[in-house]
PDB file of all heavy atoms in Angstrom:
ATOM      1  N   VAL W   7      -7.874 -11.734  -4.145  1.00  0.00           N
ATOM      2  CA  VAL W   7      -7.620 -12.750  -5.062  1.00  0.00           C
ATOM      3  C   VAL W   7      -8.629 -13.907  -5.015  1.00  0.00           C
ATOM      4  O   VAL W   7      -9.142 -14.480  -6.042  1.00  0.00           O
ATOM      5  CB  VAL W   7      -6.236 -13.345  -4.961  1.00  0.00           C
ATOM      6  CG1 VAL W   7      -6.042 -14.598  -5.801  1.00  0.00           C
ATOM      7  CG2 VAL W   7      -5.174 -12.362  -5.276  1.00  0.00           C
ATOM      8  N   GLN W   8      -8.969 -14.331  -3.780  1.00  0.00           N
ATOM      9  CA  GLN W   8      -9.931 -15.405  -3.592  1.00  0.00           C
ATOM     10  C   GLN W   8     -11.273 -15.013  -4.213  1.00  0.00           C
ATOM     11  O   GLN W   8     -11.882 -15.877  -4.872  1.00  0.00           O
ATOM     12  CB  GLN W   8     -10.102 -15.699  -2.109  1.00  0.00           C
ATOM     13  CG  GLN W   8     -10.984 -16.879  -1.826  1.00  0.00           C
ATOM     14  CD  GLN W   8     -11.041 -17.130  -0.365  1.00  0.00           C
ATOM     15  OE1 GLN W   8     -10.331 -16.617   0.452  1.00  0.00           O
ATOM     16  NE2 GLN W   8     -11.845 -18.236   0.002  1.00  0.00           N
ATOM     17  N   ARG W   9     -11.779 -13.863  -3.955  1.00  0.00           N
ATOM     18  CA  ARG W   9     -13.034 -13.465  -4.531  1.00  0.00           C
ATOM     19  C   ARG W   9     -12.944 -13.327  -6.126  1.00  0.00           C
ATOM     20  O   ARG W   9     -13.842 -13.748  -6.799  1.00  0.00           O
ATOM     21  CB  ARG W   9     -13.380 -12.014  -4.035  1.00  0.00           C
ATOM     22  CG  ARG W   9     -13.735 -12.049  -2.582  1.00  0.00           C
ATOM     23  CD  ARG W   9     -14.030 -10.589  -2.035  1.00  0.00           C
ATOM     24  NE  ARG W   9     -15.040  -9.910  -2.805  1.00  0.00           N
ATOM     25  CZ  ARG W   9     -15.086  -8.595  -3.078  1.00  0.00           C
ATOM     26  NH1 ARG W   9     -14.126  -7.816  -2.698  1.00  0.00           N
ATOM     27  NH2 ARG W   9     -16.166  -8.134  -3.728  1.00  0.00           N
ATOM     28  N   LEU W  10     -11.840 -12.839  -6.651  1.00  0.00           N
ATOM     29  CA  LEU W  10     -11.627 -12.725  -8.039  1.00  0.00           C
ATOM     30  C   LEU W  10     -11.602 -14.078  -8.683  1.00  0.00           C
ATOM     31  O   LEU W  10     -12.255 -14.348  -9.751  1.00  0.00           O
ATOM     32  CB  LEU W  10     -10.433 -11.956  -8.421  1.00  0.00           C
ATOM     33  CG  LEU W  10     -10.324 -11.825 -10.009  1.00  0.00           C
ATOM     34  CD1 LEU W  10     -11.230 -10.795 -10.514  1.00  0.00           C
ATOM     35  CD2 LEU W  10      -8.917 -11.661 -10.433  1.00  0.00           C
ATOM     36  N   VAL W  11     -10.841 -15.044  -8.150  1.00  0.00           N
ATOM     37  CA  VAL W  11     -10.672 -16.335  -8.751  1.00  0.00           C
ATOM     38  C   VAL W  11     -12.005 -16.994  -8.779  1.00  0.00           C
ATOM     39  O   VAL W  11     -12.375 -17.679  -9.842  1.00  0.00           O
ATOM     40  CB  VAL W  11      -9.669 -17.125  -7.907  1.00  0.00           C
ATOM     41  CG1 VAL W  11      -9.741 -18.698  -8.271  1.00  0.00           C
ATOM     42  CG2 VAL W  11      -8.228 -16.586  -8.172  1.00  0.00           C
ATOM     43  N   GLU W  12     -12.800 -16.945  -7.740  1.00  0.00           N
ATOM     44  CA  GLU W  12     -14.084 -17.545  -7.621  1.00  0.00           C
ATOM     45  C   GLU W  12     -15.001 -16.980  -8.740  1.00  0.00           C
ATOM     46  O   GLU W  12     -15.637 -17.719  -9.520  1.00  0.00           O
ATOM     47  CB  GLU W  12     -14.760 -17.389  -6.339  1.00  0.00           C
ATOM     48  CG  GLU W  12     -16.074 -18.089  -6.146  1.00  0.00           C
ATOM     49  CD  GLU W  12     -16.678 -17.969  -4.757  1.00  0.00           C
ATOM     50  OE1 GLU W  12     -15.929 -17.906  -3.801  1.00  0.00           O
ATOM     51  OE2 GLU W  12     -17.923 -17.938  -4.700  1.00  0.00           O
ATOM     52  N   ALA W  13     -15.079 -15.667  -8.904  1.00  0.00           N
ATOM     53  CA  ALA W  13     -15.839 -14.948  -9.903  1.00  0.00           C
ATOM     54  C   ALA W  13     -15.374 -15.337 -11.309  1.00  0.00           C
ATOM     55  O   ALA W  13     -16.158 -15.610 -12.220  1.00  0.00           O
ATOM     56  CB  ALA W  13     -15.860 -13.537  -9.655  1.00  0.00           C
ATOM     57  N   PHE W  14     -14.069 -15.364 -11.487  1.00  0.00           N
ATOM     58  CA  PHE W  14     -13.472 -15.715 -12.743  1.00  0.00           C
ATOM     59  C   PHE W  14     -13.885 -17.099 -13.271  1.00  0.00           C
ATOM     60  O   PHE W  14     -14.311 -17.246 -14.434  1.00  0.00           O
ATOM     61  CB  PHE W  14     -11.898 -15.556 -12.734  1.00  0.00           C
ATOM     62  CG  PHE W  14     -11.229 -16.072 -13.969  1.00  0.00           C
ATOM     63  CD1 PHE W  14     -11.091 -15.268 -15.024  1.00  0.00           C
ATOM     64  CD2 PHE W  14     -10.645 -17.307 -13.916  1.00  0.00           C
ATOM     65  CE1 PHE W  14     -10.492 -15.732 -16.201  1.00  0.00           C
ATOM     66  CE2 PHE W  14     -10.059 -17.802 -15.096  1.00  0.00           C
ATOM     67  CZ  PHE W  14      -9.915 -16.962 -16.210  1.00  0.00           C
ATOM     68  N   TYR W  15     -13.701 -18.063 -12.423  1.00  0.00           N
ATOM     69  CA  TYR W  15     -13.976 -19.486 -12.903  1.00  0.00           C
ATOM     70  C   TYR W  15     -15.503 -19.628 -13.106  1.00  0.00           C
ATOM     71  O   TYR W  15     -15.910 -20.401 -13.928  1.00  0.00           O
ATOM     72  CB  TYR W  15     -13.380 -20.487 -11.926  1.00  0.00           C
ATOM     73  CG  TYR W  15     -11.907 -20.655 -12.106  1.00  0.00           C
ATOM     74  CD1 TYR W  15     -11.015 -20.333 -11.240  1.00  0.00           C
ATOM     75  CD2 TYR W  15     -11.427 -21.164 -13.276  1.00  0.00           C
ATOM     76  CE1 TYR W  15      -9.635 -20.502 -11.448  1.00  0.00           C
ATOM     77  CE2 TYR W  15     -10.078 -21.371 -13.576  1.00  0.00           C
ATOM     78  CZ  TYR W  15      -9.221 -20.956 -12.579  1.00  0.00           C
ATOM     79  OH  TYR W  15      -7.841 -21.118 -12.777  1.00  0.00           O
ATOM     80  N   LYS W  16     -16.381 -18.953 -12.398  1.00  0.00           N
ATOM     81  CA  LYS W  16     -17.756 -19.028 -12.620  1.00  0.00           C
ATOM     82  C   LYS W  16     -18.058 -18.416 -13.989  1.00  0.00           C
ATOM     83  O   LYS W  16     -18.884 -18.936 -14.757  1.00  0.00           O
ATOM     84  CB  LYS W  16     -18.614 -18.238 -11.601  1.00  0.00           C
ATOM     85  CG  LYS W  16     -18.705 -18.921 -10.259  1.00  0.00           C
ATOM     86  CD  LYS W  16     -19.561 -18.151  -9.219  1.00  0.00           C
ATOM     87  CE  LYS W  16     -19.632 -18.892  -7.967  1.00  0.00           C
ATOM     88  NZ  LYS W  16     -20.321 -18.198  -6.954  1.00  0.00           N
ATOM     89  N   LYS W  17     -17.422 -17.386 -14.371  1.00  0.00           N
ATOM     90  CA  LYS W  17     -17.584 -16.772 -15.703  1.00  0.00           C
ATOM     91  C   LYS W  17     -16.996 -17.628 -16.779  1.00  0.00           C
ATOM     92  O   LYS W  17     -17.598 -17.772 -17.845  1.00  0.00           O
ATOM     93  CB  LYS W  17     -16.986 -15.345 -15.798  1.00  0.00           C
ATOM     94  CG  LYS W  17     -17.525 -14.332 -14.766  1.00  0.00           C
ATOM     95  CD  LYS W  17     -18.913 -13.976 -15.040  1.00  0.00           C
ATOM     96  CE  LYS W  17     -19.354 -12.899 -14.028  1.00  0.00           C
ATOM     97  NZ  LYS W  17     -20.851 -12.664 -14.131  1.00  0.00           N
ATOM     98  N   LEU W  18     -15.814 -18.247 -16.533  1.00  0.00           N
ATOM     99  CA  LEU W  18     -15.155 -18.961 -17.476  1.00  0.00           C
ATOM    100  C   LEU W  18     -15.810 -20.332 -17.720  1.00  0.00           C
ATOM    101  O   LEU W  18     -15.916 -20.774 -18.899  1.00  0.00           O
ATOM    102  CB  LEU W  18     -13.640 -19.178 -17.080  1.00  0.00           C
ATOM    103  CG  LEU W  18     -12.756 -19.941 -18.064  1.00  0.00           C
ATOM    104  CD1 LEU W  18     -12.567 -19.116 -19.371  1.00  0.00           C
ATOM    105  CD2 LEU W  18     -11.459 -20.276 -17.505  1.00  0.00           C
ATOM    106  N   CYS W  19     -16.206 -20.985 -16.645  1.00  0.00           N
ATOM    107  CA  CYS W  19     -16.691 -22.425 -16.780  1.00  0.00           C
ATOM    108  C   CYS W  19     -18.118 -22.534 -16.311  1.00  0.00           C
ATOM    109  O   CYS W  19     -18.549 -23.698 -16.066  1.00  0.00           O
ATOM    110  CB  CYS W  19     -15.739 -23.277 -15.979  1.00  0.00           C
ATOM    111  SG  CYS W  19     -14.029 -23.119 -16.317  1.00  0.00           S
ATOM    112  N   GLY W  20     -18.832 -21.523 -15.975  1.00  0.00           N
ATOM    113  CA  GLY W  20     -20.102 -21.589 -15.360  1.00  0.00           C
ATOM    114  C   GLY W  20     -21.138 -22.373 -16.184  1.00  0.00           C
ATOM    115  O   GLY W  20     -22.077 -22.986 -15.665  1.00  0.00           O
ATOM    116  N   ASP W  21     -20.953 -22.440 -17.506  1.00  0.00           N
ATOM    117  CA  ASP W  21     -21.869 -23.201 -18.318  1.00  0.00           C
ATOM    118  C   ASP W  21     -21.382 -24.664 -18.555  1.00  0.00           C
ATOM    119  O   ASP W  21     -21.954 -25.387 -19.368  1.00  0.00           O
ATOM    120  CB  ASP W  21     -22.076 -22.510 -19.663  1.00  0.00           C
ATOM    121  CG  ASP W  21     -20.781 -22.428 -20.506  1.00  0.00           C
ATOM    122  OD1 ASP W  21     -19.734 -22.853 -20.062  1.00  0.00           O
ATOM    123  OD2 ASP W  21     -20.884 -21.835 -21.617  1.00  0.00           O
ATOM    124  N   GLY W  22     -20.341 -25.081 -17.806  1.00  0.00           N
ATOM    125  CA  GLY W  22     -19.790 -26.442 -17.938  1.00  0.00           C
ATOM    126  C   GLY W  22     -18.789 -26.622 -19.033  1.00  0.00           C
ATOM    127  O   GLY W  22     -18.217 -27.745 -19.244  1.00  0.00           O
ATOM    128  N   LYS W  23     -18.527 -25.591 -19.822  1.00  0.00           N
ATOM    129  CA  LYS W  23     -17.502 -25.723 -20.834  1.00  0.00           C
ATOM    130  C   LYS W  23     -16.267 -24.993 -20.482  1.00  0.00           C
ATOM    131  O   LYS W  23     -16.286 -23.944 -19.973  1.00  0.00           O
ATOM    132  CB  LYS W  23     -18.155 -25.061 -22.157  1.00  0.00           C
ATOM    133  CG  LYS W  23     -19.375 -25.722 -22.672  1.00  0.00           C
ATOM    134  CD  LYS W  23     -19.914 -25.047 -23.930  1.00  0.00           C
ATOM    135  CE  LYS W  23     -21.220 -25.641 -24.277  1.00  0.00           C
ATOM    136  NZ  LYS W  23     -21.878 -24.832 -25.281  1.00  0.00           N
ATOM    137  N   MET W  24     -15.097 -25.633 -20.773  1.00  0.00           N
ATOM    138  CA  MET W  24     -13.829 -25.061 -20.496  1.00  0.00           C
ATOM    139  C   MET W  24     -13.184 -24.624 -21.777  1.00  0.00           C
ATOM    140  O   MET W  24     -12.844 -25.552 -22.625  1.00  0.00           O
ATOM    141  CB  MET W  24     -12.932 -26.105 -19.768  1.00  0.00           C
ATOM    142  CG  MET W  24     -13.375 -26.368 -18.356  1.00  0.00           C
ATOM    143  SD  MET W  24     -12.396 -27.633 -17.453  1.00  0.00           S
ATOM    144  CE  MET W  24     -10.839 -26.820 -17.330  1.00  0.00           C
ATOM    145  N   ASP W  25     -13.074 -23.353 -22.031  1.00  0.00           N
ATOM    146  CA  ASP W  25     -12.529 -22.832 -23.234  1.00  0.00           C
ATOM    147  C   ASP W  25     -11.641 -21.657 -22.911  1.00  0.00           C
ATOM    148  O   ASP W  25     -12.077 -20.628 -22.482  1.00  0.00           O
ATOM    149  CB  ASP W  25     -13.682 -22.333 -24.192  1.00  0.00           C
ATOM    150  CG  ASP W  25     -13.172 -21.856 -25.523  1.00  0.00           C
ATOM    151  OD1 ASP W  25     -11.976 -21.767 -25.754  1.00  0.00           O
ATOM    152  OD2 ASP W  25     -14.022 -21.541 -26.358  1.00  0.00           O
ATOM    153  N   SER W  26     -10.322 -21.856 -23.093  1.00  0.00           N
ATOM    154  CA  SER W  26      -9.329 -20.882 -22.691  1.00  0.00           C
ATOM    155  C   SER W  26      -9.533 -19.601 -23.468  1.00  0.00           C
ATOM    156  O   SER W  26      -9.030 -18.514 -23.061  1.00  0.00           O
ATOM    157  CB  SER W  26      -7.884 -21.463 -22.822  1.00  0.00           C
ATOM    158  OG  SER W  26      -7.665 -21.747 -24.220  1.00  0.00           O
ATOM    159  N   LYS W  27     -10.133 -19.655 -24.694  1.00  0.00           N
ATOM    160  CA  LYS W  27     -10.356 -18.439 -25.462  1.00  0.00           C
ATOM    161  C   LYS W  27     -11.288 -17.514 -24.784  1.00  0.00           C
ATOM    162  O   LYS W  27     -11.421 -16.394 -25.285  1.00  0.00           O
ATOM    163  CB  LYS W  27     -10.803 -18.846 -26.838  1.00  0.00           C
ATOM    164  CG  LYS W  27      -9.797 -19.550 -27.687  1.00  0.00           C
ATOM    165  CD  LYS W  27     -10.267 -19.961 -29.049  1.00  0.00           C
ATOM    166  CE  LYS W  27      -9.140 -20.768 -29.717  1.00  0.00           C
ATOM    167  NZ  LYS W  27      -9.637 -21.768 -30.651  1.00  0.00           N
ATOM    168  N   ARG W  28     -12.028 -17.901 -23.823  1.00  0.00           N
ATOM    169  CA  ARG W  28     -12.941 -17.014 -23.072  1.00  0.00           C
ATOM    170  C   ARG W  28     -12.270 -16.400 -21.862  1.00  0.00           C
ATOM    171  O   ARG W  28     -12.946 -15.664 -21.095  1.00  0.00           O
ATOM    172  CB  ARG W  28     -14.201 -17.844 -22.633  1.00  0.00           C
ATOM    173  CG  ARG W  28     -14.904 -18.373 -23.783  1.00  0.00           C
ATOM    174  CD  ARG W  28     -16.097 -19.312 -23.571  1.00  0.00           C
ATOM    175  NE  ARG W  28     -16.446 -19.580 -22.220  1.00  0.00           N
ATOM    176  CZ  ARG W  28     -17.408 -20.402 -21.818  1.00  0.00           C
ATOM    177  NH1 ARG W  28     -18.145 -20.994 -22.713  1.00  0.00           N
ATOM    178  NH2 ARG W  28     -17.690 -20.626 -20.587  1.00  0.00           N
ATOM    179  N   ALA W  29     -11.039 -16.604 -21.588  1.00  0.00           N
ATOM    180  CA  ALA W  29     -10.397 -16.184 -20.403  1.00  0.00           C
ATOM    181  C   ALA W  29     -10.306 -14.659 -20.325  1.00  0.00           C
ATOM    182  O   ALA W  29     -10.615 -14.062 -19.192  1.00  0.00           O
ATOM    183  CB  ALA W  29      -8.934 -16.740 -20.257  1.00  0.00           C
ATOM    184  N   ALA W  30     -10.026 -13.931 -21.312  1.00  0.00           N
ATOM    185  CA  ALA W  30      -9.902 -12.460 -21.227  1.00  0.00           C
ATOM    186  C   ALA W  30     -11.324 -11.922 -20.887  1.00  0.00           C
ATOM    187  O   ALA W  30     -11.424 -10.973 -20.016  1.00  0.00           O
ATOM    188  CB  ALA W  30      -9.388 -11.895 -22.586  1.00  0.00           C
ATOM    189  N   ARG W  31     -12.258 -12.333 -21.558  1.00  0.00           N
ATOM    190  CA  ARG W  31     -13.688 -11.824 -21.216  1.00  0.00           C
ATOM    191  C   ARG W  31     -14.102 -12.188 -19.870  1.00  0.00           C
ATOM    192  O   ARG W  31     -14.641 -11.486 -19.066  1.00  0.00           O
ATOM    193  CB  ARG W  31     -14.741 -12.320 -22.255  1.00  0.00           C
ATOM    194  CG  ARG W  31     -16.103 -11.879 -21.927  1.00  0.00           C
ATOM    195  CD  ARG W  31     -17.196 -11.892 -22.936  1.00  0.00           C
ATOM    196  NE  ARG W  31     -16.895 -11.125 -24.088  1.00  0.00           N
ATOM    197  CZ  ARG W  31     -17.021  -9.758 -24.278  1.00  0.00           C
ATOM    198  NH1 ARG W  31     -17.311  -9.127 -23.195  1.00  0.00           N
ATOM    199  NH2 ARG W  31     -16.905  -9.176 -25.383  1.00  0.00           N
ATOM    200  N   ALA W  32     -13.790 -13.464 -19.457  1.00  0.00           N
ATOM    201  CA  ALA W  32     -14.147 -13.876 -18.085  1.00  0.00           C
ATOM    202  C   ALA W  32     -13.430 -13.082 -17.020  1.00  0.00           C
ATOM    203  O   ALA W  32     -14.049 -12.709 -16.024  1.00  0.00           O
ATOM    204  CB  ALA W  32     -13.785 -15.357 -17.948  1.00  0.00           C
ATOM    205  N   LEU W  33     -12.135 -12.678 -17.290  1.00  0.00           N
ATOM    206  CA  LEU W  33     -11.419 -11.914 -16.296  1.00  0.00           C
ATOM    207  C   LEU W  33     -12.064 -10.460 -16.244  1.00  0.00           C
ATOM    208  O   LEU W  33     -12.309  -9.971 -15.177  1.00  0.00           O
ATOM    209  CB  LEU W  33      -9.999 -11.730 -16.750  1.00  0.00           C
ATOM    210  CG  LEU W  33      -9.108 -10.837 -15.833  1.00  0.00           C
ATOM    211  CD1 LEU W  33      -8.999 -11.443 -14.419  1.00  0.00           C
ATOM    212  CD2 LEU W  33      -7.758 -10.703 -16.441  1.00  0.00           C
ATOM    213  N   HIS W  34     -12.390  -9.910 -17.396  1.00  0.00           N
ATOM    214  CA  HIS W  34     -13.116  -8.583 -17.431  1.00  0.00           C
ATOM    215  C   HIS W  34     -14.438  -8.694 -16.702  1.00  0.00           C
ATOM    216  O   HIS W  34     -14.716  -7.818 -15.924  1.00  0.00           O
ATOM    217  CB  HIS W  34     -13.347  -8.154 -18.887  1.00  0.00           C
ATOM    218  CG  HIS W  34     -14.192  -6.950 -19.060  1.00  0.00           C
ATOM    219  ND1 HIS W  34     -13.694  -5.731 -18.740  1.00  0.00           N
ATOM    220  CD2 HIS W  34     -15.455  -6.767 -19.380  1.00  0.00           C
ATOM    221  CE1 HIS W  34     -14.697  -4.800 -18.867  1.00  0.00           C
ATOM    222  NE2 HIS W  34     -15.804  -5.519 -19.328  1.00  0.00           N
ATOM    223  N   GLN W  35     -15.241  -9.653 -16.950  1.00  0.00           N
ATOM    224  CA  GLN W  35     -16.539  -9.838 -16.323  1.00  0.00           C
ATOM    225  C   GLN W  35     -16.392  -9.964 -14.827  1.00  0.00           C
ATOM    226  O   GLN W  35     -17.211  -9.456 -14.050  1.00  0.00           O
ATOM    227  CB  GLN W  35     -17.311 -10.949 -16.863  1.00  0.00           C
ATOM    228  CG  GLN W  35     -17.741 -10.635 -18.322  1.00  0.00           C
ATOM    229  CD  GLN W  35     -18.396 -11.871 -19.013  1.00  0.00           C
ATOM    230  OE1 GLN W  35     -18.075 -13.035 -18.660  1.00  0.00           O
ATOM    231  NE2 GLN W  35     -19.197 -11.595 -20.018  1.00  0.00           N
ATOM    232  N   ALA W  36     -15.383 -10.839 -14.439  1.00  0.00           N
ATOM    233  CA  ALA W  36     -15.191 -11.051 -12.944  1.00  0.00           C
ATOM    234  C   ALA W  36     -14.812  -9.761 -12.217  1.00  0.00           C
ATOM    235  O   ALA W  36     -15.388  -9.510 -11.186  1.00  0.00           O
ATOM    236  CB  ALA W  36     -14.155 -12.132 -12.710  1.00  0.00           C
ATOM    237  N   VAL W  37     -13.865  -9.012 -12.781  1.00  0.00           N
ATOM    238  CA  VAL W  37     -13.420  -7.745 -12.220  1.00  0.00           C
ATOM    239  C   VAL W  37     -14.631  -6.868 -12.144  1.00  0.00           C
ATOM    240  O   VAL W  37     -14.886  -6.210 -11.071  1.00  0.00           O
ATOM    241  CB  VAL W  37     -12.223  -7.177 -12.918  1.00  0.00           C
ATOM    242  CG1 VAL W  37     -12.017  -5.712 -12.422  1.00  0.00           C
ATOM    243  CG2 VAL W  37     -10.997  -8.004 -12.717  1.00  0.00           C
ATOM    244  N   ASN W  38     -15.335  -6.752 -13.261  1.00  0.00           N
ATOM    245  CA  ASN W  38     -16.490  -5.781 -13.234  1.00  0.00           C
ATOM    246  C   ASN W  38     -17.524  -6.207 -12.227  1.00  0.00           C
ATOM    247  O   ASN W  38     -18.140  -5.287 -11.577  1.00  0.00           O
ATOM    248  CB  ASN W  38     -17.097  -5.863 -14.677  1.00  0.00           C
ATOM    249  CG  ASN W  38     -18.064  -4.706 -14.914  1.00  0.00           C
ATOM    250  OD1 ASN W  38     -17.671  -3.566 -14.496  1.00  0.00           O
ATOM    251  ND2 ASN W  38     -19.090  -4.959 -15.535  1.00  0.00           N
ATOM    252  N   SER W  39     -17.799  -7.479 -12.008  1.00  0.00           N
ATOM    253  CA  SER W  39     -18.753  -7.853 -11.042  1.00  0.00           C
ATOM    254  C   SER W  39     -18.304  -7.448  -9.621  1.00  0.00           C
ATOM    255  O   SER W  39     -19.184  -7.126  -8.796  1.00  0.00           O
ATOM    256  CB  SER W  39     -19.104  -9.419 -11.142  1.00  0.00           C
ATOM    257  OG  SER W  39     -17.993 -10.145 -10.667  1.00  0.00           O
ATOM    258  N   LEU W  40     -17.043  -7.547  -9.393  1.00  0.00           N
ATOM    259  CA  LEU W  40     -16.555  -7.170  -8.006  1.00  0.00           C
ATOM    260  C   LEU W  40     -16.489  -5.721  -7.889  1.00  0.00           C
ATOM    261  O   LEU W  40     -16.596  -5.202  -6.680  1.00  0.00           O
ATOM    262  CB  LEU W  40     -15.169  -7.903  -7.720  1.00  0.00           C
ATOM    263  CG  LEU W  40     -15.220  -9.436  -7.710  1.00  0.00           C
ATOM    264  CD1 LEU W  40     -13.840  -9.927  -7.556  1.00  0.00           C
ATOM    265  CD2 LEU W  40     -16.155  -9.965  -6.730  1.00  0.00           C
ATOM    266  N   VAL W  41     -16.258  -4.982  -8.850  1.00  0.00           N
ATOM    267  CA  VAL W  41     -16.261  -3.469  -8.782  1.00  0.00           C
ATOM    268  C   VAL W  41     -17.648  -3.044  -8.441  1.00  0.00           C
ATOM    269  O   VAL W  41     -17.809  -2.132  -7.547  1.00  0.00           O
ATOM    270  CB  VAL W  41     -15.908  -2.868 -10.140  1.00  0.00           C
ATOM    271  CG1 VAL W  41     -16.169  -1.375 -10.229  1.00  0.00           C
ATOM    272  CG2 VAL W  41     -14.398  -3.125 -10.405  1.00  0.00           C
ATOM    273  N   HIS W  42     -18.700  -3.736  -8.906  1.00  0.00           N
ATOM    274  CA  HIS W  42     -20.081  -3.303  -8.576  1.00  0.00           C
ATOM    275  C   HIS W  42     -20.661  -3.951  -7.424  1.00  0.00           C
ATOM    276  O   HIS W  42     -21.885  -3.933  -7.252  1.00  0.00           O
ATOM    277  CB  HIS W  42     -20.941  -3.412  -9.842  1.00  0.00           C
ATOM    278  CG  HIS W  42     -20.521  -2.558 -10.919  1.00  0.00           C
ATOM    279  ND1 HIS W  42     -19.665  -2.933 -11.990  1.00  0.00           N
ATOM    280  CD2 HIS W  42     -20.759  -1.246 -11.162  1.00  0.00           C
ATOM    281  CE1 HIS W  42     -19.427  -1.911 -12.750  1.00  0.00           C
ATOM    282  NE2 HIS W  42     -20.092  -0.853 -12.237  1.00  0.00           N
ATOM    283  N   ASP W  43     -19.844  -4.706  -6.699  1.00  0.00           N
ATOM    284  CA  ASP W  43     -20.399  -5.378  -5.420  1.00  0.00           C
ATOM    285  C   ASP W  43     -20.611  -4.293  -4.393  1.00  0.00           C
ATOM    286  O   ASP W  43     -19.711  -3.683  -3.852  1.00  0.00           O
ATOM    287  CB  ASP W  43     -19.344  -6.357  -4.969  1.00  0.00           C
ATOM    288  CG  ASP W  43     -19.758  -7.051  -3.671  1.00  0.00           C
ATOM    289  OD1 ASP W  43     -20.732  -6.727  -2.993  1.00  0.00           O
ATOM    290  OD2 ASP W  43     -19.064  -8.058  -3.300  1.00  0.00           O
ATOM    291  N   LYS W  44     -21.880  -4.028  -4.033  1.00  0.00           N
ATOM    292  CA  LYS W  44     -22.314  -2.964  -3.121  1.00  0.00           C
ATOM    293  C   LYS W  44     -21.746  -3.179  -1.737  1.00  0.00           C
ATOM    294  O   LYS W  44     -21.425  -2.279  -1.047  1.00  0.00           O
ATOM    295  CB  LYS W  44     -23.763  -2.739  -2.998  1.00  0.00           C
ATOM    296  CG  LYS W  44     -24.428  -2.471  -4.444  1.00  0.00           C
ATOM    297  CD  LYS W  44     -24.172  -1.053  -4.828  1.00  0.00           C
ATOM    298  CE  LYS W  44     -24.974  -0.759  -6.067  1.00  0.00           C
ATOM    299  NZ  LYS W  44     -24.326   0.255  -6.913  1.00  0.00           N
ATOM    300  N   GLN W  45     -21.703  -4.453  -1.271  1.00  0.00           N
ATOM    301  CA  GLN W  45     -21.213  -4.827   0.082  1.00  0.00           C
ATOM    302  C   GLN W  45     -19.718  -4.560   0.228  1.00  0.00           C
ATOM    303  O   GLN W  45     -19.228  -4.127   1.304  1.00  0.00           O
ATOM    304  CB  GLN W  45     -21.543  -6.227   0.351  1.00  0.00           C
ATOM    305  CG  GLN W  45     -23.058  -6.611   0.242  1.00  0.00           C
ATOM    306  CD  GLN W  45     -23.754  -6.216   1.556  1.00  0.00           C
ATOM    307  OE1 GLN W  45     -23.093  -6.157   2.567  1.00  0.00           O
ATOM    308  NE2 GLN W  45     -25.037  -6.048   1.474  1.00  0.00           N
ATOM    309  N   ASN W  46     -18.928  -4.961  -0.762  1.00  0.00           N
ATOM    310  CA  ASN W  46     -17.496  -4.982  -0.722  1.00  0.00           C
ATOM    311  C   ASN W  46     -16.844  -4.687  -2.065  1.00  0.00           C
ATOM    312  O   ASN W  46     -16.367  -5.600  -2.673  1.00  0.00           O
ATOM    313  CB  ASN W  46     -17.069  -6.264  -0.131  1.00  0.00           C
ATOM    314  CG  ASN W  46     -15.563  -6.339   0.218  1.00  0.00           C
ATOM    315  OD1 ASN W  46     -14.840  -5.286   0.240  1.00  0.00           O
ATOM    316  ND2 ASN W  46     -15.066  -7.508   0.480  1.00  0.00           N
ATOM    317  N   PRO W  47     -16.940  -3.427  -2.534  1.00  0.00           N
ATOM    318  CA  PRO W  47     -16.392  -3.155  -3.910  1.00  0.00           C
ATOM    319  C   PRO W  47     -14.908  -3.391  -3.920  1.00  0.00           C
ATOM    320  O   PRO W  47     -14.179  -3.128  -2.997  1.00  0.00           O
ATOM    321  CB  PRO W  47     -16.768  -1.731  -4.151  1.00  0.00           C
ATOM    322  CG  PRO W  47     -17.087  -1.139  -2.818  1.00  0.00           C
ATOM    323  CD  PRO W  47     -17.436  -2.236  -1.864  1.00  0.00           C
ATOM    324  N   MET W  48     -14.426  -3.882  -4.991  1.00  0.00           N
ATOM    325  CA  MET W  48     -12.993  -4.108  -5.180  1.00  0.00           C
ATOM    326  C   MET W  48     -12.220  -2.823  -5.351  1.00  0.00           C
ATOM    327  O   MET W  48     -12.588  -2.006  -6.163  1.00  0.00           O
ATOM    328  CB  MET W  48     -12.773  -5.040  -6.475  1.00  0.00           C
ATOM    329  CG  MET W  48     -11.359  -5.412  -6.744  1.00  0.00           C
ATOM    330  SD  MET W  48     -11.295  -6.332  -8.321  1.00  0.00           S
ATOM    331  CE  MET W  48     -10.722  -7.878  -7.667  1.00  0.00           C
TER     332      MET W  48
END
């Protein structure tokens, strides 16, 4: 959860804008980034 939450908020708010309409995509991107983490895949 800690890894996912960090990745999620980077995807959601990384550009400095908070837009809840981007949450679904940010969740997908965060999970996907952790799935492909070679050191510690989710």
Side-chain angles (χ1 to χ4, degrees):
V7 170
Q8 185 176 356
R9 290 175 60 216
L10 179 82
V11 166
E12 185 178 327
F14 171 80
Y15 283 113
K16 282 182 182 175
K17 301 293 184 188
L18 183 69
C19 309
D21 62 358
K23 298 176 186 171
M24 292 178 63
D25 183 353
S26 63
K27 292 179 181 146
R28 298 176 358 183
R31 176 160 303 283
L33 180 61
H34 171 75
Q35 291 171 336
V37 169
N38 196 41
S39 70
L40 296 179
V41 166
H42 294 97
D43 181 347
K44 301 286 187 211
Q45 301 277 338
N46 188 11
M48 183 183 246

